[in-house]
């Protein structure tokens, strides 16, 4: 995988947005394999599809690319708010590639993440203000994706600080993350919110009381639930069964971290 961007692809374009689209999509088509099944190349959808940019010819998984020159903020803008919510609720949304690239000096990919589609929940989708009456699409309401609220396990590095992560490691990390795939949106939200809380605990060893300390936070995220501690215990059992934490007994737990993310080419 070559992280350098081919600027010659944009020699017929003048708009900065068109140049960015051509060079980043060109890089993906030439360099990116399918992080789901390992197929050597992704295919670019013909025509401008509103749902996805690329697909895998082997496993048929679809991908959307979001790129930015410079550092990605905590949120990234996406399409229509209602359309995005509908996609999430029906599980038809694609996986997301989130790309940071540089165009100064030597144009290259600085960071590239994969966010599998099952990490998307309605709580991370925020409504943007409607376009003004003078806009071409007056009243249109877009959305933003709060990627900062997605657990670390759902942000899988492919390129990190200009260095590629080995394909084997990426596929393994995607496989590990796939243990968290849940079809029910309500169950998905609780599981990921609890996992995010555990990620914030600085120590490898933690207690049930440590997770209970996030009770008020979780109650605000899930106001319809009136027995938060019982729900927390349920999520800990699920995370244990899926291999993300280890139960040590007497209300004590250990994070089951993988060392694979440190492997790079």
């Amino acid at each position: 995988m070559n992280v350098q961007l081919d600027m010659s692809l944009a020699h017929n374009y003048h708009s900065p947005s068109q140049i960015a689209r051509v060079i980043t999509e060109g890089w993906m088509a030439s360099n990116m394999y399918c992080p789901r099944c390992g197929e050597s190349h992704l295919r670019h959808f013909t025509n401008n599809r509103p749902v996805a940019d690329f697909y895998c010819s082997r496993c048929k998984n679809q991908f959307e690319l979001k790129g930015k020159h410079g550092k990605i903020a905590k949120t990234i803008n996406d399409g229509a708010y209602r359309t995005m919510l509908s996609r999430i609720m029906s599980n038809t949304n694609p996986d997301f590639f989130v790309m940071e690239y540089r165009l100064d000096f030597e144009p290259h990919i600085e960071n590239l993440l994969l966010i599998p589609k099952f990490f998307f929940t309605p709580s991370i989708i925020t409504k943007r203000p409607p376009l003004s009456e003078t806009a071409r699409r007056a009243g249109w309401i877009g959305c933003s994706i709060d990627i900062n609220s997605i657990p670390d396990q759902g942000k899988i590095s492919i390129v990190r600080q200009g260095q590629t992560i080995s394909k084997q490691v990426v596929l393994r990390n995607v496989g590990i993350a796939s243990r968290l795939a849940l079809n029910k949106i309500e169950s998905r939200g609780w599981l990921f919110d609890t996992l995010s809380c555990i990620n914030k605990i600085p120590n490898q060893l933690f207690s049930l009381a440590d997770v209970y300390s996030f009770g008020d936070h979780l109650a605000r995220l899930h106001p319809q639930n009136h027995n938060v501690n019982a729900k927390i215990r349920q999520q800990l059992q699920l995370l244990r069964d899926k291999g993300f934490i280890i139960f040590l007994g007497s209300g004590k737990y250990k994070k089951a971290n993988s060392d694979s993310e440190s492997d790079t080419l």
Side-chain angles (χ1 to χ4, degrees), residues 10-254:
H11 73 277
N12 288 328
Y13 296 88
H14 304 286
S15 164
S17 61
Q18 288 181 324
I19 291 172
R21 177 183 60 80
V22 169
I23 61 174
T24 56
E25 291 185 357
W27 183 89
M28 291 288 293
S30 297
N31 291 273
M32 193 61 223
Y33 53 87
C34 176
R36 289 281 198 161
C37 71
E39 175 70 13
S40 59
H41 284 89
L42 294 177
R43 296 180 182 271
H44 199 291
F45 275 116
T46 55
N47 304 324
N48 242 347
R49 287 172 58 99
V51 175
D53 301 310
F54 297 89
Y55 70 97
C56 174
S57 60
R58 183 197 296 177
C59 69
K60 309 304 180 186
N61 216 67
Q62 298 183 8
F63 304 88
E64 184 172 339
L65 173 64
K66 292 295 179 183
K68 184 178 180 182
H69 180 213
K71 191 168 183 61
I72 293 284
K74 295 180 179 179
T75 61
I76 54 177
N77 291 338
D78 199 58
Y81 174 73
R82 291 189 180 278
T83 301
M84 187 61 175
L85 282 185
S86 176
R87 282 161 53 185
I88 290 174
M89 298 300 287
S90 64
N91 290 309
T92 60
N93 54 310
D95 290 348
F96 265 62
F97 285 113
V98 180
M99 177 190 289
E100 295 177 1
Y101 60 91
R102 307 283 182 183
L103 297 181
D104 46 354
F105 302 112
E106 294 184 4
H108 69 280
I109 307 299
E110 182 70 10
N111 291 292
L112 180 66
L113 300 175
L114 174 76
I115 303 177
K117 60 185 177 183
F118 49 83
F119 279 92
F120 284 78
T121 62
S123 64
I124 71 169
I125 308 301
T126 57
K127 186 186 295 185
R128 303 209 315 263
L131 296 183
S132 67
E133 294 182 0
T134 57
R136 183 170 58 87
R137 293 188 292 170
W140 182 85
I141 299 175
C143 71
S144 297
I145 302 170
D146 182 7
I147 60 174
N148 204 45
S149 295
I150 297 172
D152 293 341
Q153 292 83 353
K155 293 176 281 193
I156 300 165
S157 288
I158 299 170
V159 178
R160 185 191 296 127
Q161 295 181 349
Q163 300 296 313
T164 59
I165 309 299
S166 75
K167 181 177 178 179
Q168 180 183 8
V169 167
V170 172
L171 292 175
R172 184 162 67 242
N173 287 342
V174 172
I176 292 170
S178 295
R179 300 177 197 161
L180 294 168
L182 297 174
N183 288 327
K184 288 185 64 176
I185 298 297
E186 299 82 4
S187 301
R188 195 187 300 176
W190 259 106
L191 183 66
F192 295 151
D193 291 338
T194 304
L195 181 57
S196 291
C197 292
I198 293 172
N199 289 339
K200 293 175 183 177
I201 298 173
N203 301 320
Q204 287 293 104
L205 299 177
F206 63 96
S207 68
L208 182 58
D210 291 329
V211 191
Y212 279 168
S213 69
F214 293 95
D216 290 344
H217 169 70
L218 291 168
R220 287 192 296 271
L221 293 177
H222 303 276
Q224 74 282 1
N225 188 285
H226 303 293
N227 195 346
V228 173
N229 284 354
K231 197 68 176 180
I232 287 173
R233 292 194 298 273
Q234 181 190 64
Q235 302 313 302
L236 290 174
Q237 290 175 4
L238 191 55
L239 289 169
R240 178 203 62 193
D241 293 344
K242 291 180 177 294
F244 286 85
I245 61 175
I246 300 168
F247 179 50
L248 302 176
S250 303
K252 302 294 183 182
Y253 297 85
K254 180 182 179 180

